[in-house]
Amino acid sequence: MSLTLAAAPRGARIGFTAAGNADHQVVLTVLPKPWRPPGTPRTVWVPQWPDRRHHEIMLYELDRLHVTATESSMEDLLERCLEVSRQADNGAVRWDSSLLAPDVRPRNLGAGRVRELSTNPHGATADLLQLLDRLELLTPPPEAMHAMPRRSPLHRPLLCRRFLNEVLARIHAVRRGYRPVVVTRSAIRGRIDAASAVRYVNTGDPRLVCRYEELTESTQLLGIICAALERIADGLGVRPLFRGKFSDRQLRHDAVTLRRAFAGVTTVPASTALRVGPRLHLNRLDRPWADALRLAVAVLADWAYAAEESGRPFADAVELSIPTDKLWEEVVHQVLARSRFTRVLAQRSLPTNLVEDPWVEDPPKPSQSRPDNVAWRGTAIWIADAKYKSLDWKSPPDRGDQYQMFSYTHLFSDADSIVERALLIYPGEDAIREWRRGRDGPQAPARLATVRFPFPQPTDAQSPAAWDAYLDQTADRFVTAMRL
């Protein structure tokens, strides 16, 4: 066997993919290139697979995996990882945009360019997962979710954690409601079952079957929620790949804790919950529980929710990956939001009338030109674009990036403000360079600046406090450097 795979050939995608069979399991993680130790991209060479059933392969963007070990089962798993990665780009097979791509055999396998397999089986994947969670990239809006019936070791824990977080956020809004009750009583309440009334007339048996609506905390909605909590508490039924709050142990612990908070609620049987849950009508006061109900049904149905559209599902190969530039855009937005600006809007929140396209037809259509971030500082506007690429600090930015920011400074319009600064923000250590806009005089307000923010490291995402410290420190250094 000789198989060579390239990890994110464009250096712009991170994530992990997993495949398994009856004998082995492999998890291949592609980490951001800023996490790479000093040095150029390297090749992970596998002349022989270690003697264990679970294999963790850790690569960085632009690295390569070269396998010469002869083992048919592992070859099949890697080929499945490659195939599911091709399907990750909305079904379009593109060599350079996927997480994994086939590559030619490396010519030089000498010392210094070869790394061994990772000896930390879960650490790299868990660190990357924590970073995605801090940036809320694991909880896309419902319309971006794609459901598939599989018990994925990657997506299943993410679904359960999202469900538990949703229930925890809504637990203060628990309210009593009416639940249909059918019970045999000696005193009449509600409507009497006709058959029991006939039996009473003929036999004198005072027991009557009554049907009525009872005001109780044990509503059908909460009964379905509790059924999903108990399913998680019993175990996910998949081999866990993660540690921390996404581990099987922590998920079960949190599910038990939440179930105890609903001690007065009777669990609806899983079969009934799956039948009734999708059609359950929520009144106006219960509508905040809509997402929790939808997720509860997914948990009970053994679905896995992927954060992006994917191709045909594989029972034994799954992938979770995102473009790294999207992650970097979210990092930059959170840092700018903590700087000394009056208001900061991300691209998704910008009104369509603030920017025009360079060329407009009649009748005009909504603009497609939108910067990543727009910040207001009094009457001054700062336009910022996040660029996940390396930059030779002795050279100016790419010509395309220059013209992009040039057009933003001309085409962005706010009646009460003027564009004062355009920013191109790259990952790296602190450094700032500035240029004035062409054809403007030396005193013109519009200037272009290139800025570097340190890329978040694994330790920065280990806890909410560590993440807040990273954002605050980066924002403080930016504010100081730009004299805000």
Side-chain angles (χ1 to χ4, degrees):
M1 171 186 178
S2 180
L3 177 66
T4 304
L5 303 178
R10 293 181 58 192
R13 197 171 191 89
I14 57 175
F16 32 82
T17 179
N21 55 29
D23 300 321
H24 295 89
Q25 185 182 58
V26 61
V27 176
L28 199 157
T29 303
V30 178
L31 302 172
K33 50 183 178 279
W35 288 6
R36 179 191 292 120
T40 58
R42 298 184 179 182
T43 299
V44 173
W45 182 23
V46 187
Q48 183 177 357
W49 289 106
D51 185 19
R52 57 175 182 259
R53 292 172 57 87
H54 180 89
H55 300 279
E56 170 86 2
I57 303 175
M58 184 182 70
L59 304 173
Y60 297 95
E61 293 171 307
L62 303 176
D63 280 356
R64 287 191 288 178
L65 173 68
H66 181 60
V67 180
T68 56
T70 303
E71 189 168 339
S72 58
S73 61
M74 289 303 300
E75 181 178 2
D76 179 66
L77 293 183
L78 290 177
E79 288 178 350
R80 289 187 179 276
C81 288
L82 179 61
E83 189 171 1
V84 77
S85 186
R86 287 177 178 175
Q87 301 291 335
D89 192 23
N90 293 326
V93 179
R94 292 184 55 189
W95 179 84
D96 59 350
S97 64
S98 58
L99 187 69
L100 299 176
D103 201 2
V104 297
R105 183 184 187 279
R107 293 182 178 180
N108 182 12
L109 291 175
R113 295 186 57 83
V114 177
R115 291 192 294 109
E116 297 181 356
L117 288 181
S118 170
T119 57
N120 184 7
H122 306 312
T125 307
D127 290 339
L128 182 58
L129 188 65
Q130 289 277 18
L131 177 60
L132 298 179
D133 184 51
R134 296 291 171 225
L135 294 168
E136 298 183 354
L137 296 175
L138 298 177
T139 55
E143 59 271 15
M145 304 289 279
H146 182 69
M148 53 206 75
R150 64 186 184 201
R151 308 191 75 172
S152 161
L154 290 180
H155 299 98
R156 181 74 175 170
L158 307 185
L159 168 67
C160 294
R161 174 50 61 188
R162 184 173 186 179
F163 168 67
L164 294 176
N165 290 344
E166 186 69 24
V167 174
L168 182 62
R170 303 297 173 195
I171 199 169
H172 67 281
V174 171
R175 56 183 296 275
R176 301 177 73 185
Y178 288 95
R179 182 173 185 173
V181 177
V182 179
V183 65
T184 301
R185 298 168 52 93
S186 56
I188 298 176
R189 181 176 179 182
R191 292 178 298 174
I192 304 173
D193 185 75
S196 66
V198 171
R199 186 180 67 246
Y200 171 70
V201 172
N202 294 331
T203 66
D205 187 347
R207 293 175 299 173
L208 299 172
V209 177
C210 301
R211 302 174 184 270
Y212 56 90
E213 299 285 331
E214 181 182 33
L215 182 63
T216 176
E217 182 181 306
S218 185
T219 60
Q220 203 166 36
L221 167 64
L222 295 183
I224 296 173
I225 297 295
C226 289
L229 291 174
E230 292 181 6
R231 173 65 64 86
I232 298 175
D234 290 340
L236 300 181
V238 295
R239 181 174 180 177
L241 299 177
F242 308 129
R243 65 185 182 188
K245 68 178 184 178
F246 294 96
S247 67
D248 183 58
R249 179 178 179 180
Q250 189 63 45
L251 289 172
R252 296 177 69 178
H253 174 272
D254 293 349
V256 170
T257 302
L258 286 173
R259 183 62 184 94
R260 288 173 178 169
F262 294 102
V265 177
T266 302
T267 301
V268 172
S271 58
T272 304
L274 288 173
R275 186 182 73 255
V276 174
R279 300 189 298 271
L280 186 63
H281 175 72
L282 300 180
N283 59 42
R284 181 178 59 84
L285 297 177
D286 285 336
R287 284 174 193 164
W289 287 87
D291 284 345
L293 175 62
R294 178 176 59 87
L295 294 171
V297 172
V299 169
L300 294 171
D302 286 336
W303 286 352
Y305 275 95
E308 60 183 14
E309 290 291 332
S310 60
R312 64 184 182 90
F314 290 86
D316 57 356
V318 291
E319 177 184 313
L320 177 65
S321 65
I322 66 166
T324 323
D325 55 355
K326 298 300 180 184
L327 180 145
W328 182 236
E329 288 173 9
E330 187 61 32
V331 170
V332 169
H333 175 71
Q334 292 196 18
V335 171
L336 293 178
R338 299 199 178 204
S339 303
R340 295 177 183 174
F341 291 110
T342 309
R343 181 173 54 147
V344 179
L345 291 182
Q347 185 182 69
R348 59 184 177 272
S349 305
L350 283 176
T352 56
N353 61 343
L354 287 181
V355 187
E356 283 191 350
D357 288 331
W359 301 96
V360 182
E361 62 180 330
D362 292 322
K365 296 181 179 180
S367 172
Q368 300 298 316
S369 301
R370 294 189 184 184
D372 294 338
N373 292 275
V374 176
W376 279 261
R377 184 170 175 262
T379 59
I381 295 175
W382 290 41
I383 296 175
D385 253 27
K387 300 296 181 183
Y388 184 73
K389 59 177 73 172
S390 58
L391 176 68
D392 181 2
W393 217 242
K394 297 180 182 179
S395 304
D398 294 342
R399 299 287 288 180
D401 294 339
Q402 291 187 40
Y403 280 115
Q404 180 188 30
M405 303 309 290
F406 181 85
S407 66
Y408 284 154
T409 60
H410 276 289
L411 300 173
F412 195 93
S413 176
D414 187 354
D416 300 323
S417 307
I418 58 173
V419 177
E420 178 182 273
R421 195 73 61 93
L423 303 176
L424 290 171
I425 303 178
Y426 302 85
E429 295 302 320
D430 295 336
I432 293 177
R433 292 189 64 190
E434 289 189 325
W435 296 263
R436 65 177 178 86
R437 190 169 60 184
R439 295 290 187 185
D440 289 342
Q443 304 303 320
R447 302 182 71 84
L448 172 67
T450 53
V451 185
R452 284 179 173 175
F453 288 172
F455 193 87
Q457 297 300 306
T459 54
D460 296 324
Q462 291 299 316
S463 66
W467 184 247
D468 287 339
Y470 161 77
L471 294 176
D472 290 338
Q473 292 172 6
T474 305
D476 288 344
R477 281 153 47 176
F478 170 70
V479 166
T480 301
M482 300 302 296
R483 299 183 178 87
L484 287 175

